[in-house]
Amino acid sequence: MEKDINSLCFMCSVRCPIQVHVKAGQAVSIIGNPHVPGIEGSLCPKGAAGLSLLSDTQRVQTPMIREGERGAGKWRNASWDEAMEYIAQRLKSVISAHGGRSVAWGERTQLSTHISKTFMRAIDSPNHFTHDALCKGSLNTACRSLTGYTDPQIGIDYANTRHLVLYGRNMFEAMEVKPVRQFSRAMENGARLTYIDPRATITASKAHRYWMIRPGTDLALNYALMHIIIKENLYDAAYVKKWVTGFDALAAFVEPYTPEWAAAETGISAREMVEFAEEVSRQKPKVVFHFGYRCANHENEIYLRRSILMLNALMGSIEAPGGMFIKKGPGEVGAKPARKLTDQELPKCADIRFDKVGTPDFPLPDPAHGVAQMLPEAILKEDPYPIKALMAYRFDPLMSIADTARTRKALDKLDLIVTIDINYSDIAWYSDVILPESTYLERMDSPQQANGLKPQMFLRQQAVGPRYDTRPGPEIIKMLAHRMGLSQYFPYETVEDLVRWQLEPTGFTVSDFAEKGFVAYTDKAIWWDRDTGIKFKTPSGRIEFVSALLEDAGYPSFPAYQAPNAPKQPDMFRLIVGRCAQHTHISTQNNLYLNELVSENPLWISKKSAEKLGIYHNQPIVVSSDRYEGEMHAKVTEFIRPECVFMLHGFGHQVPFAGRSYNKGQSDAAFMENITDAVGGSPAFHETFVRVRPLR
Amino acid sequence: MSKYYLFHDQKKCIGCQACVVACKSRQNLPKGPFPSLLITIGPQWVGTRPQMAFAFMPCFQCENPWCVAACPTGAMQRRPEDGIIIVDPNVCVGCKTCMSACPWGSPQWNPETGKVVKCDSCYDRLEQGLQPACVTVCPTACLYFGTPDEIPEVRRERYARAMIHDGEQEN
């Protein structure tokens, strides 16, 4: 028997719609879901490698309990019953000694997040946190400070834009299929691309204008652009008058930031800045200054992200076709979203969070996500209180939080570490128990509320039965809750039960998803009236250049520009990091096909710097920071600024069971210092300096 | 040549290699063989812009295929109905003569089976009315497959548009 299952990919967190062809119970091919406009069968390389994840013999196949020292690699296989009993007993003893708050749960936001949040509420812990802040916490805060919405609530109309401006947003490598497809088509129809990055990526090679900016000076560029746009009256005056508060304050603030000043700072000529500002002004409001994807580079990250959003506001491009839009939910058409387990009556925890988010110490980051990189210090200093257990669900503190040695030291203080994962991640290897989750092809998941111009809902549907002794996440959490005596908050046995319960208020049923993989609440794009109807959620109901959120917390809306930190020694380079199209963060380096394409991460170093150091292309080198020293290979290139060096994130795995990726390349997190944007909440991943020397 | 033509519009290509992975996955291949390959050339500076070129290398399905002539067992065959060149794994003895004969390096070695694998334009998919896997998954739609008269005039249309657009440019 053959059938096509419409589902959702999960090789990365984008969750593109896919179609799995199943023959005699086996998945034989995956393509993009042909029913979804803008996808039309297409996939990225990671999505195309899905079957090699499914059939991988180097993934976790059964629950495992640690026997030797942590990280020593001595394990025994366990039944689910035994593993659950082991965890429940230890969690109970941690909770009875230190309270529910001594348990932290870290995960990458996903469709099951409402379930783990419910678990944490049920044990009376405030310490559910996600990976989000590590990626883009400051962007989230920046978006809220200006519009009242978070970044996932704002979309980009790639298909109709006339000009896309990217600040290091390497969209053709760190790719989302639909935007890539839509914007490729837009470029074919004449849309322009401006790309700004100290490193020339593939995206740079597709741009009409490429600026190899000095690293860390994007904010200087933006202050100057705002200076030009205001001085030359290039902004959308009617839109600004209607929808912006604090314009006059901004105008006065950017007055001294001339293009000539910014030219010296950024390395971009004043004439080019003026030409660019004039060009985008002609194209407004069909202009998008992309606010970014991973936004965790510098200590003033929130202010760079705010400046990008303010440029959009000046172009009148927020809630404009060809610009950006506020995503519309089912409520816009009088319909209801799927409910979540967190909608239930749950215990309300009175404790503050481990990361102090929401307290005067750290008022602005989103408490829905917390700030993950505060975890090591919170554990080590027992500040604000002791943390004794960590549940890591698709989240790897060892490779995602800067300063791995320090993170490992913190983990050593914990009484219990449990990892729920598909792969042998580095944190799985350092855990006490590993619980193997079924892959996205082997499980159903909670519905995905896909808000946008046309609100829709997607469903991950199970394509094949589990190949190994693995379980879907929602069932794993339910099993654990049951052992902890908390079953009442988890009213389901199987994921399908859960989905049925979640769909009840929507009027849709599971079978409605069978034909196309999604259901639509409406078939018409919803744009709010640009003259009267944009519902900004700030206190003023407008875009707040002068932000109540920031000012009320005691932070300025427009801080004076500060030049990026210089290296401590002249022979050091700023370390910058990024992604390639063939890998997702830290999770695909061991995939058979993706590993074959990109198996390690060389260090990009400019030709000029390499010549000075006597380093040639492909030469083994030693890279060292204050935190770590490791061997890599040099990629000598003219396509990076001489002040910085670059490495791909996600390599340097230390798990022998994941043999293809074991000890290949280096992990950026090992070199980095754990520095945070204290206002916005992101880490500053580009604030570490390294030395490079040939390996002798 | 086969009656088909695969056109790679490299201006739209982003070198992501989804095509290459889908190709390997369709034949469930181990590490090693690449029946299709995407080669990235560059970047190099052209003025202030870094430029890259991409070459997609599936099998060209030659009119007079040296691999077929070289094959001693008859495993390598040209399908009479459409000119696609396929290798029959039941007949291939793994002698590698085709690999030596092909000027393009198209026949690939499968270390698991000890036989040759190659791009067969996904003829099984074509027979079901589908496109080859590489074409289907391409995120930018830069691959086109069909008979030559079905291939869109992408390049001439683009050139024409650029000429007209240049005339209208304000700056």
Side-chain angles (χ1 to χ4, degrees):
Chain A
M1 205 185 90
E2 296 191 31
K3 56 185 174 178
D4 288 316
I5 307 288
N6 296 306
S7 188
L8 291 172
C9 187
F10 206 26
M11 292 297 286
C12 82
S13 297
V14 176
R15 291 190 289 254
C16 295
I18 54 169
Q19 187 177 76
V20 187
H21 190 67
V22 179
K23 208 178 199 169
Q26 299 291 320
V28 294
S29 81
I30 306 174
I31 61 170
N33 185 338
H35 304 296
V36 178
I39 292 288
E40 296 134 7
S42 61
L43 284 178
C44 80
K46 290 150 313 208
L51 294 182
S52 59
L53 172 68
L54 178 64
S55 61
D56 195 354
T57 54
Q58 293 185 14
R59 65 175 165 104
V60 193
Q61 302 180 15
T62 182
M64 295 167 79
I65 297 175
R66 176 171 69 84
E67 296 241 286
E69 292 293 301
R70 265 195 196 137
K74 293 206 173 76
W75 300 95
R76 70 183 153 90
N77 293 350
S79 69
W80 280 96
D81 274 346
E82 188 188 0
M84 286 297 167
E85 192 54 32
Y86 183 101
I87 298 166
Q89 288 312 324
R90 276 157 188 77
L91 267 185
K92 279 181 196 165
S93 91
V94 163
I95 291 169
S96 73
H98 304 281
R101 68 185 188 179
S102 65
V103 180
W105 183 302
E107 88 183 79
R108 276 177 192 272
T109 310
Q110 53 169 333
L111 298 170
S112 294
T113 298
H114 68 113
I115 307 167
S116 37
K117 282 190 171 178
T118 301
F119 181 86
M120 293 300 278
R121 293 278 297 274
I123 64 167
D124 203 30
S125 172
N127 290 326
H128 185 282
F129 65 96
T130 75
H131 179 88
D132 277 46
L134 293 169
C135 177
K136 59 189 184 64
S138 298
L139 172 63
N140 175 315
T141 312
C143 286
R144 280 182 289 123
S145 76
L146 282 156
T147 67
Y149 291 96
T150 63
D151 53 296
Q153 295 171 317
I154 302 173
I156 292 172
D157 188 13
Y158 291 99
N160 299 302
T161 193
R162 301 303 299 157
H163 199 140
L164 181 59
V165 186
L166 305 172
Y167 296 77
R169 167 73 190 105
N170 182 12
M171 73 174 287
F172 290 137
E173 293 188 81
M175 59 191 284
E176 309 164 275
V177 172
K178 200 166 173 176
V180 163
R181 198 168 181 87
Q182 288 181 326
F183 188 63
S184 297
R185 202 170 290 162
M187 280 178 83
E188 194 57 28
N189 294 323
R192 302 265 294 170
L193 176 61
T194 292
Y195 186 73
I196 305 156
D197 194 329
R199 179 177 75 104
T201 60
I202 288 176
T203 310
S205 81
K206 296 292 175 186
H208 301 91
R209 177 188 285 105
Y210 169 55
W211 284 336
M212 190 181 258
I213 193 169
R214 271 188 63 220
T217 65
D218 304 44
L219 186 58
L221 170 67
N222 281 359
Y223 281 173
L225 289 174
M226 292 193 275
H227 172 104
I228 299 164
I229 286 166
I230 293 172
K231 195 169 168 196
E232 296 192 14
N233 280 314
L234 297 173
Y235 58 95
D236 183 335
Y239 183 92
V240 166
K241 184 158 184 282
K242 176 74 200 170
W243 293 114
V244 171
T245 66
F247 174 77
D248 292 342
L250 177 74
F253 172 77
V254 295
E255 216 282 316
Y257 295 106
T258 62
E260 292 72 24
W261 164 82
E265 190 64 17
T266 61
I268 301 163
S269 77
R271 181 185 52 81
E272 284 182 282
M273 287 182 216
V274 172
E275 277 175 13
F276 168 73
E278 289 171 350
E279 182 188 334
V280 290
S281 178
R282 283 193 300 272
Q283 293 152 330
K284 71 177 184 297
K286 291 179 184 289
V287 172
V288 174
F289 287 79
H290 196 298
F291 51 59
Y293 208 51
R294 180 177 67 83
C295 307
N297 302 333
H298 301 287
E299 283 176 271
N300 62 353
E301 194 71 30
I302 181 174
Y303 291 109
L304 171 64
R305 300 302 151 186
R306 273 176 54 80
S307 69
I308 296 173
L309 287 154
M310 286 190 269
L311 283 163
N312 287 291
L314 292 172
M315 293 294 112
S317 65
I318 302 180
E319 201 63 21
M324 302 163 96
F325 55 86
I326 309 297
K327 292 183 185 172
K328 316 301 186 299
E332 281 292 314
V333 292
K336 287 211 164 59
R339 67 181 165 196
K340 294 182 168 181
L341 285 187
T342 40
D343 297 344
Q344 302 173 98
E345 238 357 271
L346 293 165
K348 285 189 176 55
C349 185
D351 281 307
I352 64 165
R353 298 176 53 90
F354 77 92
D355 48 25
K356 302 187 189 172
V357 167
T359 73
D361 283 350
F362 212 4
L364 298 188
D366 189 344
H369 297 290
V371 176
Q373 74 270 24
M374 308 311 271
L375 184 70
E377 290 310 301
I379 296 172
L380 286 165
K381 297 191 176 136
E382 304 201 341
D383 176 16
Y385 45 72
I387 299 287
K388 290 293 173 187
L390 174 67
M391 305 289 295
Y393 186 8
R394 295 182 66 244
F395 167 70
D396 192 341
L398 289 168
M399 294 190 78
S400 304
I401 295 177
D403 197 351
T404 307
R406 185 87 178 154
T407 306
R408 198 177 290 117
K409 204 169 159 196
L411 295 179
D412 287 343
K413 275 193 75 173
L414 298 178
D415 295 340
L416 179 69
I417 307 173
V418 176
T419 294
I420 305 172
D421 209 332
I422 290 164
N423 296 302
Y424 285 110
S425 55
D426 285 47
I427 184 64
W429 197 245
Y430 212 68
S431 296
D432 305 321
V433 185
I434 314 176
L435 301 175
E437 194 182 21
S438 302
T439 67
Y440 65 99
L441 298 168
E442 303 165 306
R443 68 178 202 246
M444 182 181 261
D445 254 320
S446 282
Q448 177 192 28
Q449 209 70 48
N451 294 344
L453 289 172
K454 302 174 188 173
Q456 297 171 332
M457 191 164 35
F458 286 75
L459 188 63
R460 176 171 296 129
Q461 311 201 66
Q462 185 176 349
V464 293
R467 179 172 277 244
Y468 305 118
D469 188 14
T470 62
R471 301 285 165 89
E475 292 179 18
I476 295 173
I477 300 168
K478 158 92 190 180
M479 276 191 277
L480 186 58
H482 178 70
R483 298 267 168 177
M484 302 283 292
L486 303 165
S487 294
Q488 72 266 33
Y489 302 115
F490 301 86
Y492 60 91
E493 290 301 322
T494 64
V495 185
E496 190 158 352
D497 294 342
L498 171 65
V499 172
R500 233 178 272 128
W501 178 86
Q502 286 191 261
L503 288 177
E504 264 171 31
T506 68
F508 295 109
T509 64
V510 172
S511 58
D512 292 333
F513 293 85
E515 191 192 340
K516 293 182 172 176
F518 69 99
V519 293
Y521 288 93
T522 173
D523 52 8
K524 285 194 192 74
I526 305 167
W527 290 98
W528 286 332
D529 187 317
R530 274 165 59 81
D531 294 327
T532 57
I534 312 180
K535 298 168 199 165
F536 291 112
K537 289 207 299 193
T538 49
S540 63
R542 302 164 82 192
I543 300 170
E544 296 191 347
F545 283 7
V546 175
S547 158
L549 189 77
L550 286 171
E551 305 272 340
D552 290 353
Y555 300 114
S557 294
F558 319 119
Y561 178 76
Q562 278 191 311
N565 296 326
K568 286 176 205 153
Q569 299 295 329
D571 62 341
M572 296 179 100
F573 301 92
R574 182 182 296 276
L575 175 63
I576 64 174
V577 299
R579 309 285 187 271
C580 64
Q582 294 79 24
H583 284 293
T584 302
H585 303 120
I586 56 158
S587 66
T588 58
Q589 285 73 21
N590 203 54
N591 179 288
L592 176 69
Y593 290 157
L594 301 174
N595 181 275
E596 189 176 16
L597 295 178
V598 181
S599 60
E600 68 171 84
N601 56 345
L603 187 80
W604 291 44
I605 183 166
S606 77
K607 214 167 164 180
K608 200 169 130 191
S609 308
E611 271 167 16
K612 252 189 245 165
L613 294 165
I615 289 170
Y616 54 85
H617 189 54
N618 282 336
Q619 185 178 4
I621 51 171
V622 178
V623 182
S624 58
S625 73
D626 286 352
R627 295 291 182 273
Y628 176 76
E629 177 170 295
E631 292 173 18
M632 303 181 75
H633 287 93
K635 177 185 163 106
V636 176
T637 168
E638 292 169 47
F639 295 90
I640 185 166
R641 293 276 314 195
E643 309 83 323
C644 54
V645 291
F646 167 88
M647 68 173 74
L648 285 170
H649 173 61
F651 289 82
H653 286 275
Q654 294 298 314
V655 184
F657 281 18
R660 303 176 200 105
S661 60
Y662 176 53
N663 242 344
K664 294 280 172 63
Q666 291 290 350
S667 167
D668 51 2
F671 294 99
M672 286 172 174
E673 299 176 42
N674 192 347
I675 304 167
T676 294
D677 165 2
V679 182
S682 285
F685 286 140
H686 290 183
E687 289 294 350
T688 294
F689 293 90
V690 296
R691 282 199 174 82
V692 184
R693 64 172 196 268
L695 178 68
R696 305 273 182 222
Chain B
M1 303 293 281
S2 78
K3 70 177 193 185
Y4 299 111
Y5 171 46
L6 188 142
F7 168 54
H8 177 218
D9 181 6
Q10 65 152 313
K11 187 158 197 282
K12 280 172 84 177
C13 180
I14 56 172
C16 76
Q17 307 191 74
C19 46
V20 171
V21 176
C23 173
K24 286 198 70 151
S25 185
R26 167 185 165 262
Q27 298 201 48
N28 195 20
L29 296 177
K31 183 174 178 174
F34 283 104
S36 66
L37 201 58
L38 187 95
I39 315 267
T40 301
I41 311 287
Q44 62 183 47
W45 289 110
V46 177
T48 59
R49 293 168 62 185
Q51 299 290 291
M52 288 182 182
F54 304 98
F56 185 57
M57 307 275 284
C59 174
F60 299 138
Q61 318 292 359
C62 304
E63 177 69 24
N64 184 9
W66 294 4
C67 59
V68 172
C71 178
T73 66
M76 195 66 81
Q77 305 159 26
R78 188 167 188 270
R79 282 163 47 104
E81 62 269 42
D82 52 20
I84 293 172
I85 293 146
I86 59 167
V87 57
D88 182 346
N90 297 315
V91 185
C92 176
V93 293
C95 71
K96 310 184 190 72
T97 311
C98 57
M99 294 170 65
S100 305
C102 175
W104 322 108
S106 184
Q108 295 277 305
W109 183 247
N110 182 340
E112 270 184 3
T113 59
K115 294 170 195 285
V116 157
V117 288
K118 70 178 290 295
C119 162
D120 54 14
S121 296
C122 293
Y123 69 89
D124 54 331
R125 292 177 59 85
L126 301 181
E127 283 166 2
Q128 296 168 56
L130 303 169
Q131 294 269 295
C134 54
V135 178
T136 302
V137 302
C138 176
T140 65
C142 75
L143 293 174
Y144 299 83
F145 185 87
T147 53
D149 58 305
E150 290 170 341
I151 303 299
E153 289 282 6
V154 174
R155 284 168 295 190
R156 284 200 276 200
E157 283 170 17
R158 184 179 293 142
Y159 181 71
R161 259 201 311 271
M163 281 199 303
I164 291 161
H165 185 66
D166 280 349
E168 288 173 351
Q169 280 266 340
E170 295 160 78
N171 49 346

